[in-house]
Amino acid sequence: MKTRITELFGIRYPIIQGGMHHVGFAELASAVSNAGGLGIITGLTQPTPEDLAREIARCHEMTDQPFGVNLTFLPSFQTPPYPEYIDAIIEGGVKAVETAGRSPEQYMPQLKAAGIKVIHKCTSVRHALKAEKIGCDAASVDGFECGGHPGEDDIPNFILLPRAAEELTIPFVASGGMADGRSLVAAMALGAEGMNMGTRFLATKDAPIHDNVKQAILEADELQTRLIMRNLRNTERVMKNAAVEEIIRIEAEKGEAETIDDIRHLVTGAKGRLVLQEGKMDEAAWSCGMVAGLIHDIPTCDELVSRIMADAEAIVRERLTGFLTQNR
């Protein structure tokens, strides 16, 4: 399948693995890239730029296909040395960067001078237009369904994607609610030229996370996620657990007076690592999309991507074309 996204990143299929904290290691990124998509190493999961450089080198040993690095510019308790992380990306020969959170504008000259293609995650059309204006090569348009940070507008993809298609000239992928061949065909019908998957790639054999997390996704339906940090205007969609229930209790009690310090002990990256790496499922909030309701198995990335592409082709060639034939 050829789209502007496959051409931009030099990949076989228009499927991107989203950057996920404590998940986006070389194991997963290389597996997705070897399957024909664009695997993503999560830059800030690596404690230092030197660690990222080693992770990039490790990924090169595991795949000869293109892969990217995620850099997230979100409010944090300590600002990371972003220029040094970008240096590690450049020196590692990585040609694709997924940016997220705040605008990457101040880092664009450094990235573009190195010939790096930038795809920015956006939760609104206005943010996507800003990404286009500052020189991003593509956008990942995240609907309200997505795991992690869906923004504050609460616009689902059935509206957000066609709106993006009306306004943007750069290509974009759909993110949030993407799981299978149906997702890909629907996203492309609404104007996207590929899709980004996070939660679906968590539930694969290649994801370097604890089996308890994979089983929780497998057992969940579309009703098991919750929204937290709305009072802070840093909304995050997470899987329901004891920590999340405590966060919700605190937020109801504090209301508009809530500060990050009130829930910091339940949302830090260190605590999230206990869930994702050690399987201690109630230790902290962890990001998960509503798409959990569409996940029914734990395949390899190669099996998943191959199935998605086969199903997408069958939907277009058989089901949709069949409707046209019937109406003639």
Side-chain angles (χ1 to χ4, degrees), residues 10-25:
I11 53 180
R12 295 197 304 277
Y13 307 128
I15 297 173
I16 298 175
Q17 166 236 321
M20 296 172 281
H21 207 35
H22 301 308
V23 179
F25 295 100

Side-chain angles (χ1 to χ4, degrees), residues 268-283:
T268 63
K271 277 297 194 75
R273 189 184 303 116
L274 294 177
V275 176
L276 293 166
Q277 299 300 321
E278 298 184 26
K280 297 178 179 179
M281 301 306 295
D282 289 316
E283 285 291 318

